[in-house]
């Protein structure tokens, strides 16, 4: 849904879209004619009122276009405003405009000749292993009560991410997120990439001045870890699609927190690190990046990069650890309100309509003034010449 203060708002559902247009389209108090508005080839529906014009269409109607990438479906259609003159008045007082309307859908589910009905769940990666142990990484709603029903975000929103190891009949274990990296493809080694969590549990994104990213403390359960990340996008990325790949690890429930078993958030107010559990000294290596030197069992970026999928086991002293790699995405992050550019285009068109006649008037006025000055000069010169001749 677009900004309620904008003249056009869009709601994309599973197989249709609803476009609502304010009749005060330019915000100048002049209401546009509903018959002058078209969504593709379709006119407004019966839900229109004195102040709004409503279009409700199926995704594949009214001349819409479908574009597909490897990850998303994009339905595109244009909202057109073409002002017409009254039957007895040959003038118009507003400019035409075209507003592009796009609806995005993840490419999950089957595509047939029927209307597309994307599958909205699950928005997580789950990997099972023997002994009824499984890991999951899930995008949650703001109150952590359920999986988020959309993968579309805008800058200024927050990713609420929950990591879980489902122990079921397994012995109790504690979950850690050793690393998370954002990329434009599912390949975590691709470029460009952005490290969100590194050094076995240091949430580095929280150090940025415009970020509030942090682990949620205390844990809701030992086998569950939650953290938030402020939405972001890669520069020079047209579609703003990102993947977040995390290395998850389950350790013995009695594992003593240490620099290799931690979840640390940065507190900008105190310029210090705070752990979800254990002493703050465990987080000091987040500044130096030498956490692996304290306990040399794992690498800095992820526990076992050679095995990028599946669930593995590793003996660490007398403890048994299990680990996996889970990926969220693709997440679609828009850098601005979808109709901002369109609104700016409308404003620019309106300014041009005013400025061009103004420039013409200036030219005409300057030409007229120049002609008057020349005429006056000639008359004065002629009078002076006649006066001199008469004196002779």
């Amino acid at each position: 849904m677009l900004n309620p203060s904008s003249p056009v708002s869009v709601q994309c559902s599973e197989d249709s879209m609803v476009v609502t247009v304010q009749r005060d389209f330019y915000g100048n108090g002049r209401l546009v004619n509903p018959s002058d508005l078209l969504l593709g080839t379709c006119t407004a529906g019966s839900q229109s009122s004195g102040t709004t014009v409503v279009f409700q269409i199926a995704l594949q109607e009214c001349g819409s276009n479908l574009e597909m990438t490897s990850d998303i479906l994009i339905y595109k259609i244009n909202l057109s405003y073409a002002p017409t003159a009254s039957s007895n008045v040959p003038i118009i007082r507003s400019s035409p405009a075209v507003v592009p309307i796009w609806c995005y859908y993840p490419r999950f589910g089957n595509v047939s000749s029927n209307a597309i009905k994307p599958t909205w769940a699950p928005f997580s990666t789950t990997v099972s292993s023997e002994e009824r142990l499984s890991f999951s990484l899930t995008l949650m709603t703001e109150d952590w009560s359920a999986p988020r029903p959309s993968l579309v975000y805008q800058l200024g929103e927050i990713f609420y991410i929950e990591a879980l190891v489902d122990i079921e009949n397994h012995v109790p274990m504690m979950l850690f997120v050793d690393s998370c990296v954002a990329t434009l493809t599912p390949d975590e080694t691709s470029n460009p990439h952005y490290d969100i969590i590194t050094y076995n549990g240091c949430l580095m994104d929280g150090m940025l001045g415009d970020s509030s990213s942090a682990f949620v403390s205390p844990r809701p359960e030992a086998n569950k870890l939650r953290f938030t990340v402020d939405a972001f996008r890669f520069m020079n990325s047209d579609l703003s699609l990102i993947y977040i790949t995390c290395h998850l690890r389950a350790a013995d429930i009695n594992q003593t927190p240490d620099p290799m078993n931690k979840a640390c958030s940065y507190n900008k107010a105190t310029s210090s690190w705070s752990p979800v559990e254990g002493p703050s000294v465990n987080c000091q290596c987040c500044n130096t990046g030498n956490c692996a030197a304290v306990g040399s069992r794992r690498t800095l970026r992820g526990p076992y990069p050679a095995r990028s999928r599946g669930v593995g086991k590793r003996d660490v002293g007398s403890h048994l650890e299990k680990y996996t790699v889970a990926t969220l995405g693709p997440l679609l992050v828009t850098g601005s309100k979808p109709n901002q550019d369109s609104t700016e285009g409308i404003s620019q068109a309106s300014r041009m309509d005013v400025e061009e006649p103004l420039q013409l008037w200036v030219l005409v006025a300057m030409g007229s003034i120049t002609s008057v000055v020349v005429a006056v000069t000639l008359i004065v010169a002629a009078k002076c010449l006649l006066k001199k001749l008469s004196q002779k």
Side-chain angles (χ1 to χ4, degrees):
M1 179 71 72
L2 305 187
N3 189 335
S5 63
S6 75
V8 181
S9 63
V10 183
Q11 184 174 1
C12 302
S13 60
E14 289 186 351
D15 58 0
S16 64
M17 69 173 72
V18 178
V19 179
T20 303
V21 185
Q22 299 295 323
R23 290 191 61 193
D24 187 3
F25 192 64
Y26 289 104
N28 56 10
R30 296 175 179 172
L31 303 185
V32 301
N33 237 329
S35 60
D36 292 342
L37 292 167
L38 288 176
L39 184 62
T41 59
C42 291
T43 56
S46 58
Q47 295 176 321
S48 301
S49 66
T51 57
T52 61
V53 180
V54 180
F55 299 86
Q56 184 169 4
I57 66 169
L59 292 177
Q60 297 171 324
E61 290 181 347
C62 303
S64 66
N65 294 317
L66 171 62
E67 293 185 9
M68 292 184 288
T69 70
S70 58
D71 304 304
I72 60 172
L73 303 173
I74 309 174
Y75 284 90
K76 297 183 177 182
I77 194 169
N78 287 335
L79 172 70
S80 303
Y81 170 56
T84 56
S86 301
S87 57
N88 57 348
V89 179
I91 64 170
I92 58 175
R93 297 188 183 275
S94 57
S95 301
V98 176
V99 181
I101 306 294
W102 292 15
C103 283
Y104 296 85
Y105 297 90
R107 287 190 66 179
F108 301 133
N110 296 324
V111 177
S112 66
S113 59
N114 297 323
I116 302 297
K117 294 186 178 181
T119 302
W120 294 102
F123 294 120
S124 62
T125 300
T126 303
V127 188
S128 299
S129 72
E130 63 275 20
E131 296 180 334
R132 307 184 69 81
L133 180 68
S134 65
F135 292 81
S136 66
L137 189 66
T138 309
L139 285 169
M140 304 294 289
T141 56
E142 184 176 355
D143 60 0
W144 303 100
S145 62
R148 192 177 191 269
S150 173
L151 291 178
V152 181
Y153 290 84
Q154 291 181 344
L155 294 181
E157 293 186 306
I158 295 176
F159 303 143
Y160 294 87
I161 302 174
E162 179 179 274
L164 170 72
V165 55
D166 188 359
I167 54 178
E168 294 190 13
N169 295 327
H170 197 279
V171 295
M173 301 192 80
M174 178 169 284
L175 181 71
F176 294 97
V177 180
D178 283 335
S179 67
C180 287
V181 62
T183 53
L184 291 174
T185 72
D187 180 6
E188 63 174 315
T189 64
S190 62
N191 285 310
H193 68 269
Y194 174 63
D195 290 318
I196 300 171
I197 299 174
T198 59
Y199 307 135
N200 291 95
C202 301
L203 210 167
M204 307 301 291
D205 183 66
M207 297 186 69
L208 297 182
D210 56 355
S211 170
S212 62
S213 304
F215 285 104
V216 175
S217 183
R219 292 175 182 258
E221 300 171 47
N223 64 323
K224 185 182 296 183
L225 188 60
R226 293 169 172 171
F227 59 100
T228 61
V229 177
D230 292 78
F232 60 89
R233 59 176 293 181
F234 284 96
M235 295 179 62
N236 303 320
S237 173
D238 294 336
L239 288 178
S240 306
L241 291 175
I242 65 172
Y243 295 81
I244 297 178
T245 302
C246 297
H247 289 246
L248 311 181
R249 177 171 51 88
D252 191 307
I253 189 70
N254 297 315
Q255 170 68 54
T256 302
D258 60 29
M260 294 294 289
N261 296 275
K262 65 185 184 300
C264 297
S265 304
Y266 187 74
N267 187 329
K268 286 191 282 289
T270 60
S271 300
S272 62
W273 291 89
S274 303
V276 173
E277 55 263 322
S280 58
V281 67
N282 289 338
C283 298
Q284 289 182 357
C285 66
C286 293
N287 289 323
T288 60
N290 64 350
C291 301
V294 178
S296 59
R297 297 184 302 236
R298 286 177 295 277
T299 63
L300 293 180
R301 181 166 175 175
Y304 311 102
R307 297 187 60 176
S308 60
R309 292 294 183 270
V311 176
K313 297 181 181 180
R314 184 177 179 89
D315 287 307
V316 182
S318 59
H319 303 297
L320 178 67
E321 292 186 348
K322 297 190 177 182
Y323 57 91
T324 192
V325 180
T327 301
L328 290 172
L331 311 182
L332 178 64
V333 182
T334 61
S336 60
K337 302 299 181 185
N339 74 323
Q340 178 176 333
D341 293 339
S342 303
T343 304
E344 291 176 354
I346 292 170
S347 300
Q348 184 177 6
S350 299
R351 288 195 300 271
M352 290 175 63
D353 288 343
V354 174
E355 289 172 358
E356 289 178 359
L358 179 61
Q359 293 172 358
L360 181 60
W361 269 110
V362 170
L363 292 175
V364 171
M366 290 179 64
S368 301
I369 292 172
T370 302
S371 301
V372 171
V373 170
V374 171
V376 171
T377 302
L378 291 174
I379 292 171
V380 171
K383 286 184 176 180
C384 291
L385 182 60
L386 290 173
K387 185 176 181 180
K388 288 180 179 180
L389 290 174
S390 62
Q391 290 175 351
K392 290 181 180 179

